[in-house]
């Protein structure tokens, strides 16, 4: 009968056989995590995707500097949806079925995002929206859709607060308010929510004018608004149609107080595309979720300026912010599962997130999701083009304002 090895030797052999297993697990932990980002890199709304890609580039570098995701590299890979719902559906199916993405980040307009949310529900893959402001998507009972972005409801509250402030300057004269908006769910939804809130406060529009965002001649629409006698125009639009509309206003010398909604009126390229002196005549303001003068955005703004030689737009900021929300969710999921990354774990992590506002580049109180996937900490600000129409300054609400808003002209 062969002699048995001493117990101490057996233990050493067992320990040795375990070493490759431990090493293998450690190597797996060091593998990069790849997250697709759906955004319109081409097509009519390509400015959103192109700016988002720049924000993602900065975010990916900063996240690496901050230690990645528990030491693992986060790779953010853009996927072009062209801003089209049918392309979004096709890409979501590919990413969910063929690439088995654990999470998809969306930096898209509302129409395409709505299609993405529907298919994410079907394929049971977490879909984080960091761009679309449509509140309607959150009312559909989806269990896999989350939005860390503001919604049209948040914008409507800011519109109402700011218009009330302007109304208080009207020296007892009724405010003549007009609504102007592109007819997508994003534009129409925000205006609808604003209409309801302002009606409760006794303020009703004298006219409402809509248009398709593909239109580039807005002169007929502007003439209608001018003929209404409006002295304040609440305008929801994207960069391209806002530039076309501003030029039409200048052509007919129509200079109401303009309260814009979204990234279009606040796009940092506006002063290069439209006469800055005319912009200031309009008191052009924008209800937004980012402005470069916010102290908490300094790291992002400085890095963006250094790399791209310009101030970041709100479009760039939204995907930068979304990348950090992704990082927080992935970190939480990996910690909860002991290193396993699956969709159920990511969804559970999203539901339990609470990112403090000062860890974002926005005026948000926090990033945390309710049962519908809505960010209950989201908050809008109002920025206004001042200094001869060349600089966008945060003017509302008062607790985050860098300056006072320009007064209403009567």
């Amino acid at each position: 009968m062969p002699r048995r090895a001493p117990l101490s030797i057996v233990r050493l052999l067992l320990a040795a056989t375990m070493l490759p297993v431990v090493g293998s697990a450690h190597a797996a932990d060091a593998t990069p995590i790849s997250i697709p980002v759906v955004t319109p890199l081409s097509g009519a709304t390509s400015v959103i995707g192109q700016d988002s890609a720049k924000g993602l580039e900065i975010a990916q570098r900063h996240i690496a500097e901050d230690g990645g995701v528990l030491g693992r590299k986060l790779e953010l890979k853009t996927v072009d949806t062209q801003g089209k719902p049918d392309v979004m559906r096709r890409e979501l199916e590919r990413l969910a079925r063929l690439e088995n993405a654990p999470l998809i980040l969306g930096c898209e307009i509302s129409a395409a995002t709505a299609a993405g949310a529907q298919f994410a529900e079907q394929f049971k893959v977490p879909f984080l929206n960091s761009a679309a402001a449509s509140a309607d998507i959150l009312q559909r009972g989806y269990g896999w859709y989350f939005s860390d972005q503001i919604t049209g409801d948040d914008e409507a509250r800011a519109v109402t607060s700011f218009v009330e402030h302007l109304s208080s300057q009207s020296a007892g004269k009724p405010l003549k308010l007009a609504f102007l908006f592109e007819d997508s769910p994003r534009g129409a939804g925000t205006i609808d929510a604003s209409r309801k809130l302002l009606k409760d406060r006794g303020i009703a529009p004298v006219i409402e004018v809509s248009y398709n965002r593909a239109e580039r001649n807005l002169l007929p629409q502007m003439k209608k608004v001018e003929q209404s006698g409006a002295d304040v125009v609440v305008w929801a639009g994207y960069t391209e149609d806002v530039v076309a509309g501003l030029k039409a206003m200048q052509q007919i010398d129509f200079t109401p107080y303009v309260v814009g909604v979204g990234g279009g009126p606040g796009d940092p390229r506006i002063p290069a595309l439209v006469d800055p002196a005319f912009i200031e005549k309009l008191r052009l303001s924008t209800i937004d979720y980012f402005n470069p003068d916010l102290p908490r955005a300094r790291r992002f703004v400085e890095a963006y300026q250094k790399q791209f030689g310009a101030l970041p737009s709100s479009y760039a900021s939204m995907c930068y912010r979304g990348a950090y929300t992704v990082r927080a969710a992935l970190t939480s999921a990996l910690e909860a599962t002991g290193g396993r990354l699956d969709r159920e774990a990511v969804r559970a992590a999203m539901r339990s997130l609470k990112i403090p506002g000062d860890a974002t580049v926005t005026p948000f109180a926090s990033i945390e999701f309710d049962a519908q996937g809505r960010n209950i900490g989201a908050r809008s600000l109002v920025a206004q083009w001042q200094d001869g129409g060349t600089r966008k300054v945060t003017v509302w609400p008062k607790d985050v304002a860098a300056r006072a808003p320009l007064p209403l002209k009567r």
Side-chain angles (χ1 to χ4, degrees):
M1 178 181 290
R3 295 176 58 189
R4 293 183 178 179
L7 185 59
S8 59
I9 295 177
V10 172
R11 286 172 176 166
L12 284 171
L13 289 171
L14 285 173
T17 62
M18 290 175 64
L19 287 176
V21 176
V22 174
S24 175
H26 180 75
D29 287 345
T31 58
I33 301 174
S34 180
I35 298 297
V37 184
V38 286
T39 192
L41 296 169
S42 62
T45 56
S46 61
V47 65
I48 295 174
Q50 291 163 8
D51 279 13
S52 294
K54 292 176 181 177
L56 287 168
E57 190 173 339
I58 302 296
Q60 190 163 275
R61 186 168 74 246
H62 282 178
I63 288 171
E65 292 172 0
D66 295 341
V69 180
L70 297 179
R72 296 172 66 177
K73 182 181 179 181
L74 178 61
E75 296 179 342
L76 302 165
K77 298 186 175 180
T78 54
V79 176
D80 185 13
T81 60
Q82 303 172 40
K84 297 178 179 179
D86 60 325
V87 178
M88 172 69 90
R89 294 188 192 100
R90 184 175 69 242
E91 292 297 341
L92 256 290
E93 183 171 6
R94 180 180 66 82
L95 294 168
R97 285 185 172 176
L98 299 181
E99 298 197 11
N100 197 32
L103 169 69
I104 296 172
L105 174 60
C107 298
E108 251 291 6
I109 62 174
S110 294
T113 298
Q118 179 183 356
F119 273 70
E121 191 73 12
Q122 178 182 339
F123 298 126
K124 292 182 168 47
V125 55
F127 182 43
L128 171 64
N129 161 57
S130 283
S134 174
D136 175 67
I137 306 171
L138 292 159
Q139 298 165 2
R140 300 180 186 179
Y142 293 146
W144 295 84
Y145 177 74
F146 300 86
S147 176
D148 69 358
Q149 174 65 303
I150 60 171
T151 67
D153 294 337
D154 298 311
E155 290 175 325
R157 284 188 284 270
V159 166
T160 302
S161 173
F162 195 58
V163 168
E164 282 189 303
H165 166 72
L166 296 177
S167 182
S168 71
Q169 300 179 349
S170 62
K173 298 179 182 179
L175 196 69
K176 290 187 177 181
L177 176 70
F179 286 144
L180 177 66
F181 57 99
E182 51 84 23
D183 59 6
S184 73
R186 191 259 191 276
T190 299
I191 293 299
D192 185 53
S194 300
R195 183 192 305 110
K196 293 173 182 176
L197 289 177
L198 286 166
K199 182 180 179 182
D200 291 342
R201 289 156 177 78
I203 301 174
V206 295
I207 192 172
E208 297 189 25
V209 177
S210 66
Y211 59 89
N212 187 276
R213 69 172 180 265
E215 293 185 51
R216 293 296 177 264
N217 177 18
L218 296 184
L219 188 59
Q221 290 87 347
M222 286 303 174
K223 285 182 177 179
K224 287 181 182 179
V225 179
E226 181 192 30
Q227 290 165 5
S228 74
D231 46 28
V232 174
V233 176
V234 174
W235 183 1
Y238 293 98
T239 299
E240 294 85 354
D241 49 278
V242 166
V243 169
L246 289 172
K247 289 181 177 179
M249 295 175 90
Q250 187 173 19
Q251 185 177 339
I252 60 176
D253 196 26
F254 177 39
T255 57
Y257 201 118
V258 177
V259 181
V261 178
D267 191 310
R269 288 162 287 230
I270 289 290
L273 299 171
V274 182
D275 179 11
F278 184 72
I279 289 173
E280 188 161 58
K281 279 186 181 180
L282 298 174
R283 310 290 203 252
L284 181 61
S285 309
T286 180
I287 309 296
D288 217 328
Y289 45 87
F290 169 81
N291 198 41
D293 66 356
L294 290 171
R296 62 177 63 171
R298 184 172 295 118
R299 180 190 184 196
F300 168 58
V301 172
E302 290 178 350
Y304 192 99
Q305 280 187 296
K306 182 177 180 180
Q307 183 161 346
F308 300 110
L311 289 171
S313 68
S314 297
Y315 299 145
S317 78
M318 64 192 183
C319 244
Y320 179 92
R321 181 196 66 230
Y324 269 90
T325 304
V326 165
R327 182 202 186 210
L330 294 175
T331 299
S332 179
L334 288 169
E335 289 175 337
T337 62
R340 188 182 75 257
L341 195 61
D342 61 57
R343 293 172 179 175
E344 285 284 0
V346 173
R347 181 171 73 154
M350 293 288 286
R351 292 197 181 283
S352 63
L353 278 187
K354 187 169 183 179
I355 303 173
D358 57 9
T360 74
V361 295
T362 65
F364 292 179
S366 62
I367 295 177
E368 52 185 313
F369 303 106
D370 65 12
Q372 294 179 312
R374 181 191 304 268
N375 177 14
I376 60 175
R379 185 190 190 198
S380 295
L381 57 79
V382 181
Q384 186 173 76
W385 290 101
Q386 296 188 2
D387 296 345
T390 62
R391 183 178 175 223
K392 196 171 53 163
V393 181
T394 303
V395 297
W396 197 263
K398 291 182 179 179
D399 64 309
V400 297
R403 293 186 192 171
L406 297 172
L408 180 68
K409 300 173 292 181
R410 297 309 297 252

